[in-house]
Amino acid sequence: MHQYTCPKCKTVLKREQPVSEGKKIKCPKCENIFAPSAAITAKAGGKSGKSKDEDDDRNPYAVVKEEKEEEKMKEAKQRAAMGLVADRFEKSARGPAISVIVRPASYLIGAGILTCALSMAALFIGIWPLVFAEFYKEGPNNPKLSAREKAAQGEADFEAIQTRSIIFIAVSPFTFAFGALVCVGALKLRAIESYPWAMVGAVMALIAAPGNGGAVFWLFYYLAKVFFVDTMGFDTGFAMMIAALPAGLAVVFTLVSGIWAIVAMTNEKVKEAFEEEKEGDIF
């Protein structure tokens, strides 16, 4: 490993291959771009290369004894067979961390997708009555009401539906952006790229849980009202019963996703993986 010290923040950057002459390196912490000097380049855990004078003094015609080489080879094989070979490379903390975060990150992605999907459903529910306004103005399908009473009831109901539609259309872009940020945080967690973004996504999932439950409730209530209340004449309480169960499941799923992600990020293995130094980008 070769080490390069950033002149701005003094961060030590490590690379397996040396930076070519004329290339520059970017510090991942302060984003400073600098040309590494050969004077500050060193082998990690070892000494620097030999000087020019030492290379000149080397005898190009030196003879290597085959017996010594064979003995070294046999010794290396024996040590390898006994499991005594030292690990030449520094182990990364990402491997153990991935096993901890892969499932909560996947659930968090699902929570973000659910929020985005519900925002699109709210937009659809908001637009639908405005497109088919005449259907709603006809009034409820109640044989006990006259045509005039149905029309009056339909006009009154449509005013409330119109107000609700405007609210759904206005709110849907914000909820979609909210769900998108949850997905971004989940992806940052899964890739172990940004601890702050991952935490933001998990916290936003907790905030989105009540909204997801309310959106699922209104979605199923709206569908049940259209198919059972307005068409078949059922009571509105029946529509609420149908909508209550999926709404509760949506709240529980979103809450569990956010809490699980936060708990995973408190794991020491995950913290070490996020804090692991990244190699600088070469320009």
Side-chain angles (χ1 to χ4, degrees), residues 208-260:
N212 285 355
V216 170
F217 177 85
W218 279 108
L219 174 62
F220 279 85
Y221 175 76
Y222 175 80
L223 295 175
K225 187 174 182 299
V226 171
F227 289 106
F228 296 106
V229 179
D230 297 340
T231 305
M232 301 181 183
F234 279 80
D235 187 73
T236 55
F238 180 73
M240 290 183 178
M241 289 176 58
I242 294 177
L245 179 60
L249 293 176
V251 173
V252 172
F253 174 77
T254 311
L255 280 176
V256 169
S257 301
I259 294 173
W260 195 1

Short mmCIF file of all heavy atoms in Angstrom, two decimals, residues 208-260:
data_model
loop_
_atom_site.label_atom_id
_atom_site.label_comp_id
_atom_site.label_asym_id
_atom_site.label_seq_id
_atom_site.Cartn_x
_atom_site.Cartn_y
_atom_site.Cartn_z
N ALA A 208 -43.09 9.29 7.92
CA ALA A 208 -44.03 8.95 6.85
C ALA A 208 -45.03 7.88 7.25
O ALA A 208 -46.03 7.69 6.55
CB ALA A 208 -43.26 8.49 5.61
N ALA A 209 -44.76 7.17 8.35
CA ALA A 209 -45.63 6.04 8.73
C ALA A 209 -47.09 6.45 8.92
O ALA A 209 -48.00 5.83 8.34
CB ALA A 209 -45.09 5.38 9.99
N PRO A 210 -47.41 7.51 9.71
CA PRO A 210 -48.82 7.89 9.84
C PRO A 210 -49.43 8.34 8.51
O PRO A 210 -50.60 8.03 8.23
CB PRO A 210 -48.79 9.05 10.84
CG PRO A 210 -47.49 8.91 11.56
CD PRO A 210 -46.54 8.34 10.56
N GLY A 211 -48.64 9.05 7.70
CA GLY A 211 -49.15 9.48 6.40
C GLY A 211 -49.45 8.32 5.48
O GLY A 211 -50.45 8.32 4.76
N ASN A 212 -48.58 7.30 5.50
CA ASN A 212 -48.84 6.11 4.69
C ASN A 212 -50.11 5.39 5.14
O ASN A 212 -50.90 4.93 4.32
CB ASN A 212 -47.65 5.16 4.77
CG ASN A 212 -46.47 5.64 3.96
OD1 ASN A 212 -46.56 6.64 3.25
ND2 ASN A 212 -45.36 4.94 4.04
N GLY A 213 -50.28 5.32 6.46
CA GLY A 213 -51.49 4.68 6.97
C GLY A 213 -52.75 5.45 6.56
O GLY A 213 -53.74 4.85 6.13
N GLY A 214 -52.70 6.79 6.65
CA GLY A 214 -53.84 7.59 6.25
C GLY A 214 -54.12 7.50 4.76
O GLY A 214 -55.28 7.43 4.33
N ALA A 215 -53.05 7.47 3.96
CA ALA A 215 -53.23 7.38 2.51
C ALA A 215 -53.83 6.04 2.11
O ALA A 215 -54.71 5.98 1.24
CB ALA A 215 -51.89 7.60 1.81
N VAL A 216 -53.34 4.96 2.74
CA VAL A 216 -53.90 3.63 2.44
C VAL A 216 -55.37 3.56 2.87
O VAL A 216 -56.22 2.99 2.16
CB VAL A 216 -53.07 2.53 3.14
CG1 VAL A 216 -53.78 1.18 3.04
CG2 VAL A 216 -51.70 2.45 2.52
N PHE A 217 -55.67 4.16 4.02
CA PHE A 217 -57.06 4.15 4.48
C PHE A 217 -57.97 4.86 3.48
O PHE A 217 -59.02 4.33 3.10
CB PHE A 217 -57.16 4.83 5.85
CG PHE A 217 -58.57 4.93 6.36
CD1 PHE A 217 -59.14 3.86 7.04
CD2 PHE A 217 -59.34 6.07 6.16
CE1 PHE A 217 -60.45 3.93 7.52
CE2 PHE A 217 -60.64 6.15 6.63
CZ PHE A 217 -61.20 5.08 7.31
N TRP A 218 -57.58 6.07 3.04
CA TRP A 218 -58.42 6.82 2.11
C TRP A 218 -58.52 6.13 0.76
O TRP A 218 -59.55 6.17 0.09
CB TRP A 218 -57.90 8.24 1.95
CG TRP A 218 -58.33 9.14 3.06
CD1 TRP A 218 -57.57 9.66 4.06
CD2 TRP A 218 -59.67 9.62 3.28
NE1 TRP A 218 -58.34 10.42 4.90
CE2 TRP A 218 -59.63 10.41 4.45
CE3 TRP A 218 -60.89 9.45 2.63
CZ2 TRP A 218 -60.76 11.05 4.97
CZ3 TRP A 218 -62.01 10.07 3.14
CH2 TRP A 218 -61.94 10.85 4.29
N LEU A 219 -57.43 5.47 0.34
CA LEU A 219 -57.46 4.76 -0.94
C LEU A 219 -58.47 3.62 -0.92
O LEU A 219 -59.32 3.51 -1.81
CB LEU A 219 -56.05 4.23 -1.26
CG LEU A 219 -55.93 3.34 -2.50
CD1 LEU A 219 -56.31 4.11 -3.75
CD2 LEU A 219 -54.51 2.79 -2.61
N PHE A 220 -58.39 2.78 0.12
CA PHE A 220 -59.31 1.65 0.20
C PHE A 220 -60.73 2.12 0.53
O PHE A 220 -61.71 1.51 0.07
CB PHE A 220 -58.81 0.65 1.25
CG PHE A 220 -57.74 -0.26 0.74
CD1 PHE A 220 -56.41 0.13 0.74
CD2 PHE A 220 -58.05 -1.51 0.23
CE1 PHE A 220 -55.42 -0.71 0.26
CE2 PHE A 220 -57.07 -2.36 -0.25
CZ PHE A 220 -55.74 -1.95 -0.23
N TYR A 221 -60.83 3.17 1.33
CA TYR A 221 -62.16 3.70 1.63
C TYR A 221 -62.83 4.25 0.37
O TYR A 221 -64.03 4.06 0.15
CB TYR A 221 -62.06 4.79 2.69
CG TYR A 221 -63.37 5.48 2.97
CD1 TYR A 221 -64.36 4.85 3.75
CD2 TYR A 221 -63.64 6.75 2.47
CE1 TYR A 221 -65.57 5.48 4.00
CE2 TYR A 221 -64.85 7.38 2.72
CZ TYR A 221 -65.80 6.74 3.48
OH TYR A 221 -67.00 7.37 3.73
N TYR A 222 -62.03 4.94 -0.44
CA TYR A 222 -62.58 5.50 -1.69
C TYR A 222 -63.05 4.39 -2.62
O TYR A 222 -64.15 4.46 -3.19
CB TYR A 222 -61.51 6.35 -2.38
CG TYR A 222 -61.91 6.87 -3.72
CD1 TYR A 222 -62.72 8.00 -3.84
CD2 TYR A 222 -61.49 6.24 -4.89
CE1 TYR A 222 -63.10 8.47 -5.08
CE2 TYR A 222 -61.86 6.71 -6.13
CZ TYR A 222 -62.66 7.83 -6.22
OH TYR A 222 -63.03 8.29 -7.45
N LEU A 223 -62.23 3.34 -2.76
CA LEU A 223 -62.63 2.23 -3.64
C LEU A 223 -63.85 1.50 -3.09
O LEU A 223 -64.77 1.15 -3.85
CB LEU A 223 -61.45 1.26 -3.78
CG LEU A 223 -60.21 1.80 -4.49
CD1 LEU A 223 -59.08 0.78 -4.47
CD2 LEU A 223 -60.53 2.22 -5.93
N ALA A 224 -63.86 1.27 -1.77
CA ALA A 224 -65.02 0.60 -1.17
C ALA A 224 -66.27 1.45 -1.27
O ALA A 224 -67.38 0.92 -1.47
CB ALA A 224 -64.71 0.27 0.29
N LYS A 225 -66.13 2.76 -1.15
CA LYS A 225 -67.28 3.64 -1.25
C LYS A 225 -67.87 3.64 -2.67
O LYS A 225 -69.08 3.62 -2.86
CB LYS A 225 -66.89 5.07 -0.86
CG LYS A 225 -68.05 6.05 -0.76
CD LYS A 225 -67.57 7.38 -0.23
CE LYS A 225 -68.73 8.36 -0.09
NZ LYS A 225 -69.38 8.64 -1.37
N VAL A 226 -66.97 3.62 -3.67
CA VAL A 226 -67.45 3.60 -5.05
C VAL A 226 -68.17 2.30 -5.37
O VAL A 226 -69.26 2.30 -5.96
CB VAL A 226 -66.26 3.82 -6.02
CG1 VAL A 226 -66.70 3.58 -7.46
CG2 VAL A 226 -65.73 5.24 -5.87
N PHE A 227 -67.56 1.17 -4.95
CA PHE A 227 -68.11 -0.14 -5.34
C PHE A 227 -69.24 -0.62 -4.43
O PHE A 227 -70.15 -1.32 -4.90
CB PHE A 227 -66.99 -1.19 -5.36
CG PHE A 227 -66.03 -1.01 -6.49
CD1 PHE A 227 -64.76 -0.52 -6.27
CD2 PHE A 227 -66.39 -1.32 -7.79
CE1 PHE A 227 -63.87 -0.36 -7.30
CE2 PHE A 227 -65.51 -1.16 -8.85
CZ PHE A 227 -64.25 -0.68 -8.60
N PHE A 228 -69.20 -0.26 -3.14
CA PHE A 228 -70.18 -0.81 -2.22
C PHE A 228 -71.21 0.21 -1.75
O PHE A 228 -72.38 -0.12 -1.59
CB PHE A 228 -69.46 -1.41 -0.99
CG PHE A 228 -68.60 -2.58 -1.32
CD1 PHE A 228 -67.22 -2.45 -1.34
CD2 PHE A 228 -69.15 -3.82 -1.62
CE1 PHE A 228 -66.41 -3.52 -1.65
CE2 PHE A 228 -68.33 -4.91 -1.93
CZ PHE A 228 -66.96 -4.74 -1.95
N VAL A 229 -70.76 1.45 -1.49
CA VAL A 229 -71.69 2.45 -0.95
C VAL A 229 -72.46 3.13 -2.07
O VAL A 229 -73.69 3.12 -2.09
CB VAL A 229 -70.92 3.50 -0.12
CG1 VAL A 229 -71.89 4.57 0.41
CG2 VAL A 229 -70.21 2.83 1.05
N ASP A 230 -71.75 3.73 -3.04
CA ASP A 230 -72.43 4.47 -4.10
C ASP A 230 -73.16 3.56 -5.08
O ASP A 230 -74.21 3.92 -5.60
CB ASP A 230 -71.41 5.32 -4.88
CG ASP A 230 -70.77 6.38 -4.00
OD1 ASP A 230 -71.36 6.70 -2.94
OD2 ASP A 230 -69.68 6.88 -4.35
N THR A 231 -72.60 2.37 -5.33
CA THR A 231 -73.19 1.48 -6.34
C THR A 231 -74.22 0.52 -5.74
O THR A 231 -75.31 0.34 -6.29
CB THR A 231 -72.08 0.67 -7.04
OG1 THR A 231 -71.12 1.56 -7.58
CG2 THR A 231 -72.65 -0.18 -8.16
N MET A 232 -73.89 -0.09 -4.59
CA MET A 232 -74.77 -1.11 -4.01
C MET A 232 -75.59 -0.61 -2.84
O MET A 232 -76.44 -1.34 -2.32
CB MET A 232 -73.92 -2.32 -3.56
CG MET A 232 -73.13 -2.97 -4.68
SD MET A 232 -72.19 -4.40 -4.08
CE MET A 232 -71.32 -4.86 -5.58
N GLY A 233 -75.30 0.60 -2.36
CA GLY A 233 -76.11 1.16 -1.28
C GLY A 233 -75.71 0.71 0.11
O GLY A 233 -76.51 0.86 1.05
N PHE A 234 -74.50 0.18 0.30
CA PHE A 234 -74.04 -0.22 1.64
C PHE A 234 -73.80 1.02 2.50
O PHE A 234 -73.65 2.14 2.01
CB PHE A 234 -72.75 -1.03 1.53
CG PHE A 234 -72.97 -2.48 1.17
CD1 PHE A 234 -73.19 -2.84 -0.15
CD2 PHE A 234 -72.95 -3.46 2.13
CE1 PHE A 234 -73.39 -4.16 -0.49
CE2 PHE A 234 -73.14 -4.79 1.80
CZ PHE A 234 -73.36 -5.15 0.47
N ASP A 235 -73.68 0.78 3.80
CA ASP A 235 -73.39 1.87 4.73
C ASP A 235 -71.90 2.25 4.66
O ASP A 235 -71.05 1.42 4.35
CB ASP A 235 -73.77 1.44 6.15
CG ASP A 235 -73.66 2.59 7.13
OD1 ASP A 235 -74.53 3.48 7.09
OD2 ASP A 235 -72.70 2.59 7.92
N THR A 236 -71.60 3.51 4.99
CA THR A 236 -70.21 3.97 4.95
C THR A 236 -69.33 3.26 5.99
O THR A 236 -68.11 3.18 5.84
CB THR A 236 -70.14 5.48 5.16
OG1 THR A 236 -70.79 5.81 6.39
CG2 THR A 236 -70.78 6.24 4.02
N GLY A 237 -69.96 2.78 7.07
CA GLY A 237 -69.20 2.05 8.08
C GLY A 237 -68.57 0.79 7.51
O GLY A 237 -67.48 0.39 7.93
N PHE A 238 -69.24 0.17 6.55
CA PHE A 238 -68.69 -1.03 5.91
C PHE A 238 -67.43 -0.68 5.13
O PHE A 238 -66.43 -1.44 5.15
CB PHE A 238 -69.74 -1.64 4.98
CG PHE A 238 -69.29 -2.88 4.27
CD1 PHE A 238 -69.16 -4.08 4.94
CD2 PHE A 238 -68.98 -2.82 2.92
CE1 PHE A 238 -68.74 -5.23 4.28
CE2 PHE A 238 -68.55 -3.96 2.25
CZ PHE A 238 -68.43 -5.17 2.93
N ALA A 239 -67.44 0.45 4.46
CA ALA A 239 -66.26 0.90 3.71
C ALA A 239 -65.10 1.20 4.65
O ALA A 239 -63.93 0.91 4.34
CB ALA A 239 -66.60 2.12 2.87
N MET A 240 -65.39 1.77 5.81
CA MET A 240 -64.33 2.06 6.78
C MET A 240 -63.71 0.78 7.33
O MET A 240 -62.49 0.71 7.56
CB MET A 240 -64.89 2.90 7.93
CG MET A 240 -65.25 4.31 7.54
SD MET A 240 -65.82 5.27 8.97
CE MET A 240 -66.10 6.86 8.19
N MET A 241 -64.52 -0.24 7.55
CA MET A 241 -64.01 -1.52 8.04
C MET A 241 -63.05 -2.14 7.03
O MET A 241 -62.00 -2.70 7.39
CB MET A 241 -65.16 -2.48 8.32
CG MET A 241 -66.00 -2.11 9.54
SD MET A 241 -67.41 -3.21 9.75
CE MET A 241 -66.61 -4.79 9.87
N ILE A 242 -63.40 -2.04 5.75
CA ILE A 242 -62.54 -2.60 4.71
C ILE A 242 -61.20 -1.87 4.66
O ILE A 242 -60.15 -2.47 4.43
CB ILE A 242 -63.25 -2.54 3.34
CG1 ILE A 242 -64.48 -3.46 3.36
CG2 ILE A 242 -62.31 -2.91 2.20
CD1 ILE A 242 -65.29 -3.42 2.09
N ALA A 243 -61.22 -0.55 4.88
CA ALA A 243 -60.01 0.26 4.75
C ALA A 243 -59.11 0.22 5.99
O ALA A 243 -57.92 0.54 5.90
CB ALA A 243 -60.39 1.71 4.46
N ALA A 244 -59.65 -0.18 7.14
CA ALA A 244 -58.88 -0.10 8.39
C ALA A 244 -57.70 -1.08 8.42
O ALA A 244 -56.60 -0.72 8.84
CB ALA A 244 -59.80 -0.36 9.57
N LEU A 245 -57.90 -2.32 7.97
CA LEU A 245 -56.84 -3.34 8.07
C LEU A 245 -55.62 -3.01 7.22
O LEU A 245 -54.48 -2.99 7.75
CB LEU A 245 -57.41 -4.71 7.69
CG LEU A 245 -56.40 -5.87 7.72
CD1 LEU A 245 -55.83 -6.03 9.12
CD2 LEU A 245 -57.07 -7.17 7.25
N PRO A 246 -55.76 -2.73 5.92
CA PRO A 246 -54.55 -2.39 5.15
C PRO A 246 -53.87 -1.11 5.63
O PRO A 246 -52.64 -0.98 5.52
CB PRO A 246 -55.07 -2.25 3.71
CG PRO A 246 -56.52 -2.04 3.84
CD PRO A 246 -56.94 -2.77 5.06
N ALA A 247 -54.65 -0.18 6.17
CA ALA A 247 -54.05 1.05 6.71
C ALA A 247 -53.15 0.74 7.90
O ALA A 247 -52.03 1.27 8.01
CB ALA A 247 -55.13 2.04 7.10
N GLY A 248 -53.60 -0.13 8.78
CA GLY A 248 -52.78 -0.52 9.93
C GLY A 248 -51.52 -1.25 9.51
O GLY A 248 -50.44 -1.03 10.07
N LEU A 249 -51.63 -2.13 8.51
CA LEU A 249 -50.45 -2.84 8.02
C LEU A 249 -49.42 -1.89 7.41
O LEU A 249 -48.22 -2.07 7.59
CB LEU A 249 -50.87 -3.89 6.97
CG LEU A 249 -51.71 -5.06 7.50
CD1 LEU A 249 -52.14 -5.95 6.34
CD2 LEU A 249 -50.93 -5.87 8.53
N ALA A 250 -49.89 -0.85 6.71
CA ALA A 250 -48.98 0.13 6.11
C ALA A 250 -48.21 0.89 7.19
O ALA A 250 -47.00 1.15 7.06
CB ALA A 250 -49.76 1.09 5.22
N VAL A 251 -48.90 1.26 8.26
CA VAL A 251 -48.24 1.98 9.36
C VAL A 251 -47.18 1.10 10.02
O VAL A 251 -46.05 1.54 10.25
CB VAL A 251 -49.28 2.43 10.40
CG1 VAL A 251 -48.59 3.02 11.63
CG2 VAL A 251 -50.21 3.47 9.80
N VAL A 252 -47.53 -0.15 10.31
CA VAL A 252 -46.59 -1.06 10.98
C VAL A 252 -45.38 -1.32 10.10
O VAL A 252 -44.23 -1.29 10.57
CB VAL A 252 -47.30 -2.38 11.34
CG1 VAL A 252 -46.30 -3.41 11.85
CG2 VAL A 252 -48.38 -2.13 12.39
N PHE A 253 -45.60 -1.57 8.81
CA PHE A 253 -44.48 -1.86 7.90
C PHE A 253 -43.51 -0.68 7.81
O PHE A 253 -42.29 -0.87 7.88
CB PHE A 253 -45.03 -2.19 6.51
CG PHE A 253 -43.96 -2.36 5.47
CD1 PHE A 253 -43.20 -3.51 5.42
CD2 PHE A 253 -43.70 -1.35 4.55
CE1 PHE A 253 -42.20 -3.67 4.46
CE2 PHE A 253 -42.71 -1.49 3.59
CZ PHE A 253 -41.96 -2.66 3.55
N THR A 254 -44.04 0.54 7.67
CA THR A 254 -43.17 1.71 7.54
C THR A 254 -42.42 1.98 8.84
O THR A 254 -41.22 2.31 8.83
CB THR A 254 -43.99 2.94 7.15
OG1 THR A 254 -44.83 2.62 6.03
CG2 THR A 254 -43.09 4.09 6.75
N LEU A 255 -43.09 1.84 9.99
CA LEU A 255 -42.42 2.05 11.27
C LEU A 255 -41.32 1.02 11.50
O LEU A 255 -40.21 1.38 11.93
CB LEU A 255 -43.45 1.97 12.41
CG LEU A 255 -44.30 3.21 12.68
CD1 LEU A 255 -45.33 2.92 13.76
CD2 LEU A 255 -43.42 4.39 13.08
N VAL A 256 -41.61 -0.24 11.23
CA VAL A 256 -40.61 -1.30 11.43
C VAL A 256 -39.40 -1.06 10.53
O VAL A 256 -38.25 -1.25 10.96
CB VAL A 256 -41.24 -2.68 11.16
CG1 VAL A 256 -40.16 -3.75 11.08
CG2 VAL A 256 -42.24 -3.03 12.24
N SER A 257 -39.64 -0.62 9.30
CA SER A 257 -38.53 -0.36 8.38
C SER A 257 -37.61 0.73 8.90
O SER A 257 -36.37 0.58 8.89
CB SER A 257 -39.08 0.03 7.00
OG SER A 257 -39.90 -0.98 6.48
N GLY A 258 -38.19 1.84 9.37
CA GLY A 258 -37.37 2.93 9.89
C GLY A 258 -36.63 2.56 11.16
O GLY A 258 -35.43 2.85 11.31
N ILE A 259 -37.32 1.91 12.10
CA ILE A 259 -36.69 1.53 13.37
C ILE A 259 -35.59 0.51 13.14
O ILE A 259 -34.50 0.60 13.73
CB ILE A 259 -37.75 0.98 14.34
CG1 ILE A 259 -38.74 2.09 14.73
CG2 ILE A 259 -37.09 0.39 15.59
CD1 ILE A 259 -39.92 1.61 15.55
N TRP A 260 -35.83 -0.47 12.29
CA TRP A 260 -34.84 -1.51 12.00
C TRP A 260 -33.57 -0.89 11.39
O TRP A 260 -32.46 -1.26 11.74
CB TRP A 260 -35.44 -2.54 11.06
CG TRP A 260 -34.66 -3.82 10.99
CD1 TRP A 260 -33.52 -4.14 11.67
CD2 TRP A 260 -34.98 -4.97 10.21
NE1 TRP A 260 -33.10 -5.41 11.35
CE2 TRP A 260 -33.98 -5.94 10.45
CE3 TRP A 260 -36.02 -5.26 9.33
CZ2 TRP A 260 -33.99 -7.18 9.83
CZ3 TRP A 260 -36.03 -6.50 8.72
CH2 TRP A 260 -35.03 -7.45 8.97
#
